[in-house]
Amino acid sequence: MKAALQRRKLAPGLTAAALLALAGGLLPGQAPPGAAGQRPPQDAELVGALKAAQSRGQEPERSLQQTAFDRARELIAAGRYGEARELQAALHAAVGADWSALDLSLTEIRLSRLDAAEALLLEQLRRSSAPAELWNQLGLLALAQERPEQAASAWARALRLGSENAGLSLARLRLQQGRIDAALALFRQGVDREPPPAWSLAGWALCLLGPEPGGAPAAGPEPGG
């Protein structure tokens, strides 16, 4: 992938909410409570502990994983993406899980390192046993690179593998392209759930309303809306 892709902005149809929805809830459990009066570990200490576990060929303890995961989220919330990336990279190197690859790839995208995000996801695909959400993420990345049909292909594959997120992404894309019948069929899959997600009902309604007079179809609903 050419370096110029790194300078591209996210495509208009790619929302921050669509990206962030993928990373939520991927690591179960609560952050471990700290001992009374004990200071929280510094970022360098967390990175060092993760690298030490990796060097021993051992998976880090779940409490360490959770602490590093939560600390990276704090850094992202503060806009400190470079520091978050260092911590997430150490975490992914130590655990090699789909959730850690997805989380790190989101930060790479925030840093406009689109080629790095793609390489990371493709590498994870080679060792994943349940790659549905990796394909969904590759679809989001392709859309960020202004390759909508490659995005659609990745989302279709993710859907076949059981992704719960790809249907929304693909439905929104088809709606924005004016392909109402295709969008309607995809939103219908959500409407048939019990209970149906709010986005599927909103998207279904937009499809039935059709494009605004003299204009393009209205944008689809935001994820989680």
Side-chain angles (χ1 to χ4, degrees), residues 128-177:
S128 174
S129 59
E133 295 310 326
L134 295 172
W135 280 109
N136 181 56
Q137 186 81 323
L138 281 166
L140 291 171
L141 181 58
L143 190 62
Q145 296 165 339
E146 300 177 2
R147 297 182 292 179
E149 290 313 308
Q150 184 171 335
S153 177
W155 287 329
R157 188 161 186 173
L159 271 174
R160 289 194 295 271
L161 291 170
S163 170
E164 296 183 359
N165 298 297
L168 169 60
S169 301
L170 185 54
R172 282 173 50 84
L173 175 63
R174 293 312 186 204
L175 183 59
Q176 290 169 348
Q177 292 174 330

Side-chain angles (χ1 to χ4, degrees), residues 66-197:
Q66 187 74 56
T67 302
F69 179 87
D70 291 341
R71 175 56 182 161
R73 290 302 183 83
E74 292 175 1
L75 291 168
I76 288 168
R80 296 161 63 181
Y81 301 137
E83 295 167 74
R85 179 188 174 277
E86 182 180 5
L87 186 52
Q88 289 173 324
L91 180 57
H92 179 61
V95 301
D98 287 357
W99 60 261
S100 59
L102 289 166
D103 217 38
L104 175 56
S105 71
L106 290 174
T107 302
E108 298 284 25
I109 291 170
R110 288 183 176 100
L111 291 167
S112 298
R113 291 168 47 89
L114 303 186
D115 57 343
E118 184 175 48
L120 170 67
L121 292 169
L122 291 175
E123 172 62 27
Q124 189 65 27
L125 275 177
R126 287 191 277 271
R127 56 184 173 185
S128 174
S129 59
E133 295 310 326
L134 295 172
W135 280 109
N136 181 56
Q137 186 81 323
L138 281 166
L140 291 171
L141 181 58
L143 190 62
Q145 296 165 339
E146 300 177 2
R147 297 182 292 179
E149 290 313 308
Q150 184 171 335
S153 177
W155 287 329
R157 188 161 186 173
L159 271 174
R160 289 194 295 271
L161 291 170
S163 170
E164 296 183 359
N165 298 297
L168 169 60
S169 301
L170 185 54
R172 282 173 50 84
L173 175 63
R174 293 312 186 204
L175 183 59
Q176 290 169 348
Q177 292 174 330
R179 297 174 60 176
I180 303 300
D181 289 344
L184 192 64
L186 288 161
F187 283 124
R188 177 60 184 269
Q189 295 177 20
V191 171
D192 288 341
R193 296 183 195 172
E194 186 58 44

